[in-house]
Amino acid sequence: MAIPSGSGTEVLKHTRILNLTNADQALITGVANHIYTVVSVIFTEASDNAENIYMKVTDSSGNNPGYIFYNQAIAGYSTFVWNDKFSFQGNLQLEVGAIASANIHVHCTYIDQDWS
């Protein structure tokens, strides 16, 4: 992707997953000519079962993962907040998951810069 030189948009957005499973689930699916800046991701365990969670950036087919964190413990009825900002560009996706099936709610706030 070239460095943007024209006009575009920059929008604050929110996405969520209400029942995180032990399979990869896309939180943000990137689109060409977009830059995504993740502001905060909040994980809340809602059924009193300790779990381990992960977050990663992959290519559009779910391959070549780059883990942001892996095997992060989250206690029952507790919250884990990731608020270190990071960016990725289109054709990549942000995925989350639990090591075992879990009743975890995930809320993500991010900035979508559209340069298409």
Side-chain angles (χ1 to χ4, degrees), residues 34-107:
H34 286 241
I35 300 170
Y36 302 93
T37 301
V38 177
V39 177
S40 178
V41 184
I42 302 168
F43 298 80
T44 303
E45 202 293 317
S47 63
D48 199 19
N49 292 314
E51 296 290 347
N52 293 317
I53 54 178
Y54 60 87
M55 184 166 63
K56 63 184 177 177
V57 176
T58 68
D59 60 23
S60 59
S61 62
N63 296 319
N64 302 312
Y67 285 92
I68 307 299
F69 63 82
Y70 184 81
N71 211 19
Q72 170 66 47
I74 182 170
Y77 292 137
S78 68
T79 300
F80 173 75
V81 178
W82 181 270
N83 59 4
D84 288 339
K85 293 155 194 64
F86 64 96
S87 296
F88 63 96
Q89 60 190 30
N91 297 329
L92 297 175
Q93 59 189 23
L94 179 64
E95 296 179 349
V96 292
I99 305 303
S101 289
N103 185 15
I104 296 176
H105 301 199
V106 183
H107 297 269

Side-chain angles (χ1 to χ4, degrees), residues 1 15 40 98 116:
M1 180 171 152
T15 185
S40 178
S116 54

